[in-house]
Coordinates of all heavy atoms in Angstrom, one line a residue:
V1 N 105.0 116.0 120.3 CA 105.5 117.3 120.2 C 104.5 118.3 120.9 O 103.6 118.6 120.1 CB 105.8 117.7 118.7 CG1 106.4 119.1 118.6 CG2 106.7 116.6 118.1
P2 N 104.7 118.6 122.0 CA 103.8 119.5 122.6 C 103.9 121.0 122.2 O 105.1 121.5 121.8 CB 104.0 119.4 124.2 CG 105.4 119.1 124.3 CD 105.7 118.2 123.1
V3 N 103.0 121.7 122.1 CA 103.1 123.2 121.7 C 103.7 123.8 122.7 O 103.5 123.7 123.9 CB 101.6 123.7 121.3 CG1 100.7 123.9 122.6 CG2 101.7 125.1 120.6
K4 N 104.6 124.8 122.3 CA 105.3 125.7 123.2 C 104.4 127.0 123.6 O 104.4 127.3 124.8 CB 106.7 126.1 122.7 CG 107.7 125.0 122.6 CD 109.0 125.4 122.1 CE 110.0 124.3 121.8 NZ 110.2 123.5 123.0
Q5 N 103.9 127.5 122.6 CA 103.0 128.7 122.7 C 102.0 128.8 121.6 O 102.2 128.5 120.5 CB 103.9 129.9 122.9 CG 103.2 131.2 123.2 CD 104.0 132.3 123.6 OE1 105.2 132.1 123.9 NE2 103.5 133.5 123.5
I6 N 100.8 129.3 122.0 CA 99.8 129.6 120.9 C 99.5 131.2 121.1 O 99.1 131.6 122.3 CB 98.6 128.7 120.9 CG1 98.9 127.3 120.7 CG2 97.7 129.2 120.1 CD1 97.8 126.4 120.8
E7 N 99.6 131.8 120.0 CA 99.2 133.3 120.0 C 97.9 133.4 119.2 O 97.6 132.8 118.2 CB 100.2 134.1 119.3 CG 101.7 134.3 120.0 CD 101.5 135.0 121.3 OE1 100.6 135.9 121.4 OE2 102.3 134.6 122.2
G8 N 97.0 134.0 119.8 CA 95.6 134.0 119.3 C 94.6 133.2 120.2 O 95.1 132.3 120.8
N9 N 93.3 133.6 120.1 CA 92.3 132.7 120.8 C 91.3 132.2 119.9 O 91.4 132.3 118.7 CB 91.8 133.5 121.9 CG 91.1 134.7 121.5 OD1 90.4 134.8 120.4 ND2 91.1 135.8 122.1
R10 N 90.3 131.5 120.4 CA 89.4 130.8 119.6 C 88.6 131.8 118.6 O 88.0 131.4 117.7 CB 88.4 130.2 120.5 CG 88.9 129.1 121.2 CD 88.5 127.7 121.0 NE 89.1 126.6 121.6 CZ 89.7 125.7 120.9 NH1 89.8 125.5 119.6 NH2 90.3 124.7 121.5
S11 N 88.5 133.1 119.0 CA 87.9 134.1 118.1 C 88.9 134.8 117.2 O 88.4 135.8 116.4 CB 87.0 135.0 119.0 OG 88.0 135.8 119.8
S12 N 90.1 134.5 117.3 CA 91.1 135.1 116.5 C 91.0 134.7 114.9 O 90.7 133.6 114.7 CB 92.5 134.9 116.9 OG 92.7 135.4 118.2
S13 N 91.5 135.6 114.2 CA 91.4 135.3 112.7 C 92.9 135.0 112.2 O 93.1 134.8 111.1 CB 90.8 136.3 111.8 OG 91.5 137.6 112.1
W14 N 93.8 135.0 113.1 CA 95.1 134.6 112.9 C 95.7 133.9 114.1 O 95.9 134.4 115.2 CB 96.2 135.8 112.5 CG 97.5 135.3 112.2 CD1 98.1 134.1 112.1 CD2 98.7 136.3 112.1 NE1 99.4 134.3 112.1 CE2 99.8 135.6 112.0 CE3 98.7 137.7 112.2 CZ2 101.0 136.2 111.7 CZ3 99.9 138.2 111.9 CH2 101.0 137.5 111.8
L15 N 96.1 132.5 114.0 CA 96.6 131.9 115.1 C 98.1 131.6 114.8 O 98.4 131.0 113.6 CB 95.9 130.6 115.3 CG 94.4 130.7 115.6 CD1 93.8 129.3 115.6 CD2 94.3 131.3 117.0
L16 N 99.0 131.7 115.7 CA 100.4 131.3 115.6 C 100.6 130.2 116.6 O 100.4 130.4 117.7 CB 101.3 132.5 115.8 CG 102.8 132.3 115.7 CD1 103.6 133.5 115.2 CD2 103.4 131.7 117.0
M17 N 101.0 129.1 116.1 CA 101.3 127.9 117.0 C 102.9 127.5 116.9 O 103.3 127.1 115.8 CB 100.4 126.7 116.5 CG 99.0 127.0 116.4 SD 98.0 125.8 115.6 CE 98.0 124.6 116.8
D18 N 103.6 127.7 118.0 CA 105.0 127.5 118.0 C 105.3 126.2 118.6 O 105.0 125.8 119.8 CB 105.5 128.7 118.9 CG 107.1 128.6 119.0 OD1 107.7 127.7 118.4 OD2 107.6 129.6 119.6
Y19 N 106.0 125.4 117.7 CA 106.3 124.0 118.2 C 107.8 124.0 118.3 O 108.4 122.9 118.2 CB 105.8 122.9 117.2 CG 104.3 122.8 117.4 CD1 103.4 123.6 116.5 CD2 103.7 122.0 118.4 CE1 102.0 123.3 116.8 CE2 102.4 121.8 118.5 CZ 101.4 122.5 117.6 OH 100.3 122.5 117.9
G20 N 108.5 125.1 118.2 CA 110.0 125.1 118.4 C 110.6 125.0 117.0 O 111.0 126.1 116.5
D21 N 110.7 123.9 116.4 CA 111.3 123.7 115.1 C 110.4 124.2 114.0 O 111.0 124.3 112.9 CB 111.9 122.3 114.9 CG 113.1 122.1 115.9 OD1 113.7 122.9 116.3 OD2 113.2 120.9 116.1
I22 N 109.1 124.2 114.2 CA 108.2 124.7 113.3 C 107.2 125.6 113.9 O 107.0 125.6 115.0 CB 107.4 123.5 112.4 CG1 106.4 123.0 113.3 CG2 108.3 122.5 111.9 CD1 105.3 122.1 112.7
I23 N 106.8 126.6 113.1 CA 105.8 127.5 113.4 C 104.6 127.5 112.4 O 104.8 127.5 111.2 CB 106.3 128.9 113.5 CG1 107.4 129.1 114.5 CG2 105.1 129.9 113.8 CD1 108.1 130.4 114.7
V24 N 103.4 127.2 112.8 CA 102.3 127.0 112.1 C 101.4 128.3 112.2 O 101.1 128.7 113.3 CB 101.4 125.8 112.6 CG1 100.1 125.7 111.7 CG2 102.2 124.5 112.4
H25 N 101.0 128.8 111.1 CA 100.3 130.0 111.0 C 98.9 129.7 110.3 O 98.8 129.1 109.2 CB 100.8 131.2 110.1 CG 102.1 131.7 110.6 ND1 102.3 132.6 111.5 CD2 103.4 131.2 110.4 CE1 103.5 132.8 111.7 NE2 104.3 132.1 111.0
V26 N 97.8 129.9 111.1 CA 96.6 129.6 110.5 C 95.6 131.0 110.5 O 95.5 131.6 111.5 CB 95.7 128.5 111.4 CG1 94.3 128.3 110.9 CG2 96.4 127.2 111.5
F27 N 95.3 131.2 109.4 CA 94.6 132.6 109.0 C 93.3 132.5 108.5 O 92.9 131.4 108.0 CB 95.4 133.2 107.9 CG 96.7 133.8 108.2 CD1 97.9 133.2 107.9 CD2 96.8 135.1 108.7 CE1 99.2 133.5 108.1 CE2 98.1 135.7 108.9 CZ 99.3 134.9 108.8
S28 N 92.5 133.6 108.6 CA 91.3 133.8 107.8 C 91.9 134.2 106.4 O 93.0 134.6 106.3 CB 90.5 134.9 108.3 OG 91.2 136.2 108.2
K29 N 91.1 134.0 105.3 CA 91.6 134.3 104.1 C 92.1 135.9 104.0 O 93.0 136.3 103.4 CB 90.6 134.1 103.1 CG 91.1 134.2 101.6 CD 90.0 133.8 100.5 CE 90.6 133.0 99.5 NZ 89.7 132.0 98.7
E30 N 91.2 136.7 104.5 CA 91.4 138.3 104.5 C 92.7 138.6 105.3 O 93.5 139.3 104.7 CB 90.3 139.0 105.2 CG 88.9 138.8 104.3 CD 88.4 137.5 104.7 OE1 88.5 136.9 105.7 OE2 87.5 137.1 103.8
D31 N 93.0 138.0 106.5 CA 94.1 138.4 107.2 C 95.4 137.8 106.6 O 96.4 138.3 106.7 CB 94.1 137.8 108.6 CG 93.3 138.8 109.6 OD1 92.8 139.7 109.1 OD2 93.1 138.3 110.8
R32 N 95.2 136.6 105.9 CA 96.4 136.0 105.2 C 96.9 137.0 104.1 O 98.1 137.2 103.9 CB 96.2 134.6 104.7 CG 97.3 134.1 104.0 CD 97.1 132.6 103.6 NE 98.4 132.0 103.0 CZ 98.4 130.8 102.8 NH1 97.4 130.0 102.9 NH2 99.4 130.4 102.2

């Protein structure tokens, strides 16, 4: 399952990873 799109970069405190049927959100605690 390759990623379709990633929003945010290595220094971002919120990353959105779009795999089509699922979306993964990775946050810093504060941003969450």
Side-chain angles (χ1 to χ4, degrees):
V1 184
V3 68
K4 293 184 183 300
Q5 185 168 345
I6 295 178
E7 293 293 329
N9 58 38
R10 296 244 177 235
S11 63
S12 296
S13 55
W14 176 10
L15 299 170
L16 180 149
M17 305 170 71
D18 182 355
Y19 291 93
D21 292 337
I22 71 164
I23 297 175
V24 179
H25 299 270
V26 178
F27 287 97
S28 68
K29 191 173 216 162
E30 296 78 21
D31 278 0
R32 183 172 183 176

